[in-house]
Amino acid sequence: MKILVTGGCGFIGSHFIEYFLKTYPGAQVANVDLLTYAAHPDMPNYLESLAPERYSFLKRDISDPELKSWVKSGKFDAIVNFAAETHVDRSILDPDSFVRTNVMGVQNLLAVAREAGNIRLVHVSTDEVYGSLKPEDPPCLETNSLDPNSPYAASKASADLLALASGRTYQQPVLITRCTNNYGPYQFPEKLLPLLIANALENKPIPVYGDGKQVRDWIYVVDHCRGIDAVLQKGHPGEIYNISASGEARNIDVIKKVLDILGKPRSLITYVGDRPAHDRRYGLNSNKIQSELGWKPQFSFEEGLRSTVEWYIKNQEWWKKVRGSDYQKYYQANYENKFGSKNSKNREVNS
Ligand code: TYD
């Protein structure tokens, strides 16, 4: 199989390429990535080193109309789209770039896939499109309505709708995966888990938004990649597949768990102003992919979390480097007390 992966230098995309090249010794992968701030600068070389004769790289925006002829001549069997702006906080501060990449980019990729012989397109989406659950709600099914609350979630929901509409209008073999919060090595340290681990290792405060009782459903990144692969190989065109390891946990409990693994004090926990329109709870039901495609998660949250923490301990050079330069400027300009400081006193955690 010869596939085109877009956004393959980002966190999930790079894990997917590694998984794919290692799992299928005959497979070929071309990676199109714009190498934005979230891409690991050494990733193109690292991925190439895994299988130099089966891997190629092109630095391009997925919105680029010239991709059409390039992809057409590449004779690919399928496209898997990871390219996206993904951080909710950034989408609040700069929504335009989310519409450009996540909506216009996907619209272009749909046309690219059609022109390349109407090839299969797996579009990687998120649980955030369903909006926030109440504590008593069952985890979301693929048939739940879309109710996004952040510009990020709205951009992903828009792309999902464009992809489904293309499938119906042009008989295009489009498949959508919606996954829960990922964690693992190489996640950019603006997301909760890597930020928490990195800050704790440097004895810096851990910013907890609001009351910290928001619930996220956690999955180890490699389990997500195996789910995408199952959809790529066996999924039915026009279908949506939720991917979840049923790992719901409150932010504050995750934070305490990581501090305990690291042997760091709870006094690092620092409550800050809340994210606007902060979703209270995400949770997905993944019975469909489990029963129809035979996928199931292999990592428990405990196992995945411990190995992730170990990776960040061993790879301090990596996250210190990406926390420098560009990111640092952004962080300083926007992140410290980005949503107001009224709740930023260090509070006793008794929940
Ligand atoms: P995040 O990793 O940004 O993922 P998402 O918003 O896509 O779920 O955040 C996970 C949760 O952690 C979310 O409820 C926001 C919260 N959070 C904090 O409390 N402090 C932080 O510094 C960050 C980055 C997130």
Side-chain angles (χ1 to χ4, degrees):
M1 199 176 200
K2 184 176 182 188
I3 62 167
L4 172 67
V5 171
T6 54
C9 291
F11 166 50
I12 306 173
S14 59
H15 279 280
F16 181 79
I17 292 179
E18 180 164 8
Y19 167 84
F20 204 80
L21 287 172
K22 286 182 175 167
T23 307
Y24 304 107
Q28 293 182 56
V29 177
N31 176 10
V32 169
D33 194 299
L34 190 56
L35 297 179
T36 64
Y37 80 95
H40 178 16
D42 303 333
M43 198 48 87
N45 291 340
Y46 173 68
L47 292 172
E48 175 144 34
S49 74
L50 296 173
E53 69 296 345
R54 294 189 288 126
Y55 172 82
S56 60
F57 174 70
L58 178 73
K59 182 172 186 265
R60 271 298 187 288
D61 191 331
I62 55 165
S63 311
D64 188 340
E66 287 178 14
L67 266 186
K68 288 193 189 88
S69 51
W70 186 81
V71 176
K72 199 172 177 177
S73 64
K75 302 206 179 332
F76 295 101
D77 298 305
I79 301 176
V80 186
N81 176 42
F82 293 90
E85 292 285 344
T86 64
H87 191 38
V88 173
D89 295 346
R90 283 185 189 251
S91 82
I92 294 167
L93 299 164
D94 173 25
D96 292 8
S97 59
F98 283 70
V99 173
R100 267 195 305 277
T101 302
N102 300 0
V103 184
M104 302 304 289
V106 169
Q107 176 63 9
N108 188 49
L109 272 188
L110 288 162
V112 166
R114 287 199 299 275
E115 292 224 359
N118 212 17
I119 57 176
R120 202 167 170 89
L121 173 64
V122 176
H123 172 63
V124 177
S125 187
T126 166
D127 58 0
E128 306 206 14
V129 298
Y130 298 117
S132 189
L133 288 172
K134 297 197 176 63
E136 66 278 12
D137 288 338
C140 294
L141 289 163
E142 290 81 354
T143 47
N144 273 48
S145 54
L146 301 180
D147 190 16
N149 290 310
S150 69
Y152 163 63
S155 69
K156 292 297 286 186
S158 306
D160 287 12
L161 292 177
L162 284 170
L164 291 171
S166 260
R168 289 168 198 154
T169 307
Y170 307 109
Q171 284 75 52
Q172 193 170 358
V174 176
L175 303 95
I176 294 176
T177 60
R178 292 184 180 146
C179 191
T180 58
N181 282 63
N182 281 229
Y183 66 94
Y186 290 114
Q187 188 171 28
F188 198 82
E190 62 185 353
K191 300 283 172 82
L192 177 66
L193 265 168
L195 179 124
L196 151 66
I197 301 168
N199 279 19
L201 285 170
E202 292 191 319
N203 297 308
K204 287 184 176 161
I206 314 294
V208 181
Y209 299 169
D211 65 3
K213 293 181 187 166
Q214 304 82 7
V215 172
R216 294 294 181 267
D217 185 356
W218 295 98
I219 187 169
Y220 190 62
V221 61
V222 178
D223 276 335
H224 181 194
C225 293
R226 290 175 39 257
I228 293 166
D229 185 33
V231 172
L232 172 67
Q233 311 280 350
K234 297 184 272 183
H236 303 291
E239 293 293 321
I240 300 164
Y241 296 91
N242 285 347
I243 303 177
S244 159
S246 303
E248 286 193 38
R250 298 189 314 175
N251 292 342
I252 191 64
D253 297 329
V254 172
I255 291 167
K256 287 180 186 171
K257 207 176 270 205
V258 169
L259 290 175
D260 290 349
I261 294 173
L262 288 169
K264 295 288 181 180
R266 301 240 166 123
S267 56
L268 291 177
I269 294 172
T270 305
Y271 286 89
V272 299
D274 208 353
R275 173 189 279 171
H278 193 173
D279 286 334
R280 200 68 187 158
R281 177 182 160 225
Y282 299 140
L284 291 185
N285 176 321
S286 64
N287 287 350
K288 179 174 170 179
I289 187 172
Q290 301 207 30
S291 62
E292 289 185 16
L293 308 185
W295 170 87
K296 64 175 191 312
Q298 290 178 344
F299 290 86
S300 70
F301 191 37
E302 293 295 326
E303 270 177 291
L305 198 56
R306 279 194 179 274
S307 79
T308 300
V309 169
E310 273 164 31
W311 188 88
Y312 282 86
I313 293 173
K314 284 199 196 113
N315 291 276
Q316 303 204 19
E317 216 179 293
W318 175 77
W319 55 260
K320 283 185 178 152
K321 188 164 149 194
V322 299
R323 288 234 275 196
S325 62
D326 225 24
Y327 166 66
Q328 197 59 33
K329 272 187 255 146
Y330 184 83
Y331 187 90
Q332 270 157 6
N334 295 309
Y335 267 49
E336 283 161 6
N337 278 330
K338 59 192 157 190
F339 304 130
S341 55
K342 63 184 186 328
N343 300 322
S344 64
K345 271 202 290 137
N346 204 339
R347 279 195 254 142
E348 185 62 30
V349 185
N350 51 15
S351 48

